[in-house]
Amino acid sequence: MYQFGGAEAIRRVAGSRWLPGVAVALVVITSLPRNYDQTYIGEVPWWPVIPLVFSFFSGTFLFLILQVAFLRRAEENFFRKYLLFLGLFWMTAPVAWRYGIPVERFLDARDAAVANLWLLGIVSVWRVVLITRVLSVVF
């Protein structure tokens, strides 16, 4: 229900002591369907770290923008809010599993490109709406 913006599910996830570990695991697992057709996993031994590092920096950047623009009220809890936000941000990773639909296997090249663009758009909008909902429930 978290992926669909359920308020109670968001509160349960935000209050879970398992949030950091589960969130990191989801980011790592999500790199599989997003990259299944690019390289063999054994060729790049650090493949699990790449999406984690990228999402760490993009999540940090987003949090800093939100902190300056909207969340400035409780600066004394900055680090705790940051860790909570990062965990909740990473929990949106499974939405990207839609990228893993192998449209190239059953569509021609043009239709597969169009389908991939549609999937990218759907996932992007979904994640923006979801993180907005999460922020409105938690903060």
Side-chain angles (χ1 to χ4, degrees):
M1 289 310 297
Y2 180 90
Q3 302 302 322
F4 295 102
E8 186 55 38
I10 292 169
R11 286 187 197 96
R12 271 196 321 267
V13 168
S16 172
R17 67 185 175 112
W18 299 102
L19 174 61
V22 171
V24 166
L26 287 175
V27 171
V28 171
I29 290 169
T30 299
S31 65
L32 285 172
R34 290 179 71 186
N35 299 306
Y36 75 94
D37 60 346
Q38 293 178 13
T39 59
Y40 172 64
I41 291 171
E43 292 176 21
V44 184
W46 60 87
W47 69 267
V49 178
I50 295 169
L52 199 56
V53 169
F54 179 77
S55 65
F56 171 79
F57 285 111
S58 61
T60 299
F61 179 72
L62 180 58
F63 177 77
L64 292 174
I65 290 172
L66 292 169
Q67 177 67 29
V68 168
F70 301 107
L71 303 176
R72 350 170 228 246
R73 283 182 271 130
E75 280 81 11
E76 69 276 357
N77 294 327
F78 178 85
F79 192 67
R80 189 180 71 71
K81 283 192 311 186
Y82 167 69
L83 292 177
L84 176 61
F85 172 81
L86 197 57
L88 295 171
F89 177 71
W90 282 342
M91 288 294 291
T92 67
V95 173
W97 291 348
R98 279 90 190 142
Y99 293 141
I101 299 172
V103 294
E104 298 83 8
R105 298 201 182 183
F106 54 86
L107 297 174
D108 63 42
R110 183 193 175 284
D111 291 341
V114 170
N116 279 322
L117 288 173
W118 271 103
L119 290 170
L120 175 65
I122 290 166
V123 167
S124 299
V125 169
W126 190 340
R127 288 184 86 177
V128 168
V129 169
L130 178 57
I131 199 65
T132 302
R133 172 71 173 151
V134 167
L135 291 172
S136 69
V137 169
V138 174
F139 294 105

